[in-house]
Amino acid sequence: MSFPTRVATETRAAAKAFLRRRTAVFFTFFFPAILILIFGALVQTQPTGGGLFTEPPAYYIPGYLAVVVLFTPLSRVGSEVARHRAGNRFEKLATTPLRRWEWLLGQTLVNVGIIGSAGLLILLLTVLVTGAGLPLTVETLLLVPYIAVGVTLFCGVGAILGRVADSQDGVVAASNGIALPLLFLSDTFVPPALLPEWFPFWLSPLTYFARGVRQIVMPAGLDTASVADPLTSLLVLTALAAAFFLVGALALPRTD
């Protein structure tokens, strides 16, 4: 069995397993949509006011996208690793030609497809509900690799959590404990001006995702001198994704 066949087989199996969990499918799309409706339609942004949500609507697109790019891979891949460990499936996989990194690649490809679809829905809802303008340029196509690379990064982190946590409940608790602080402390919903100057945004990989996406969706509304261009942020994010994917693949157990 060749490498493409092994990965394609695992990808199909992972996709069917996800689609069978209707609750997971529903909340993957529902949760970010309800956030947009709450903050975009009910709370709304107030550029002339104070406190949170004082930036233009397009400023928060990276935050809405980050919800699915961050939460979904962490919980899905982490839980899948925990389920495989509990059912001794890695021990069975060790007797097949499928390598650990190929298994993780198959899981990642499924997440890229799912989250890519959710990301498209988020962009459409944001434009329709908040009135945010989305530039239709060649550079806008960079959103596709940004989402794919971001998902790959957090799939790697999810694999690590699934290996370290002792159960599926432990994975859920750990993923929420990591994702919630990152979501609000990575230049997504909370502008840097509202946090101390010394705060180390650069330590969060989600920061590079948020700033790069923001450069794409509102290039005319940012101080480009203080923020790296989208390609530079994408390169940093890609390097981090490769590192976390490798560590995640190595963390997967050979036997249980």
Side-chain angles (χ1 to χ4, degrees):
M1 185 182 291
S2 64
F3 159 70
T5 303
R6 293 194 301 269
V7 174
T9 301
E10 176 57 34
T11 302
R12 285 195 297 271
K16 290 178 180 178
F18 173 75
L19 292 175
R20 282 196 296 266
R21 301 184 182 98
R22 297 179 181 178
T23 303
V25 175
F26 176 76
F27 280 100
T28 296
F29 293 89
F30 176 77
F31 184 56
I34 199 67
L35 280 181
I36 294 171
L37 292 174
I38 290 173
F39 295 117
L42 298 181
V43 177
Q44 298 185 352
T45 59
Q46 302 176 34
T48 58
L52 294 174
F53 291 92
T54 58
E55 302 292 339
Y59 183 91
Y60 300 101
I61 290 178
Y64 297 137
L65 290 175
V67 172
V68 286
V69 169
L70 175 63
F71 278 88
T72 304
L74 284 181
S75 60
R76 285 204 67 250
V77 175
S79 296
E80 197 66 24
V81 173
R83 273 193 293 269
H84 273 59
R85 291 177 61 198
N88 296 322
R89 296 180 189 176
F90 283 115
E91 188 168 348
K92 298 173 184 176
L93 285 176
T95 64
T96 71
L98 189 70
R99 300 180 179 91
R100 288 179 295 172
W101 70 270
E102 292 173 343
W103 181 88
L104 183 56
L105 178 58
Q107 298 291 328
T108 300
L109 291 175
V110 172
N111 277 274
V112 169
I114 294 166
I115 296 167
S117 301
L120 179 60
L121 175 63
I122 288 169
L123 290 174
L124 291 174
L125 277 177
T126 304
V127 171
L128 293 174
V129 173
T130 70
L134 187 65
L136 299 178
T137 64
V138 175
E139 195 173 58
T140 307
L141 294 176
L142 284 175
L143 289 175
V144 175
Y146 259 102
I147 291 175
V149 172
V151 170
T152 302
L153 191 158
F154 290 108
C155 280
V157 178
I160 296 170
L161 292 181
R163 181 67 175 87
V164 173
D166 57 359
S167 65
Q168 284 184 248
D169 290 339
V171 169
V172 173
S175 61
N176 287 336
I178 291 174
L180 282 174
L182 286 182
L183 183 62
F184 293 100
L185 299 177
S186 300
D187 198 1
T188 49
F189 293 108
V190 181
L194 297 182
L195 293 171
E197 292 184 4
W198 53 262
F199 190 82
F201 287 98
W202 59 272
L203 286 176
S204 169
L206 193 63
T207 297
Y208 303 99
F209 173 86
R211 290 180 174 176
V213 170
R214 188 169 291 121
Q215 280 282 341
I216 295 170
V217 299
M218 53 179 307
L222 296 174
D223 178 11
T224 55
S226 62
V227 182
D229 64 271
L231 283 176
T232 300
S233 295
L234 182 59
L235 288 174
V236 174
L237 194 67
T238 301
L240 291 171
F244 277 104
F245 183 89
L246 177 60
V247 175
L250 293 174
L252 295 177
R254 295 182 183 275
T255 57
D256 303 286

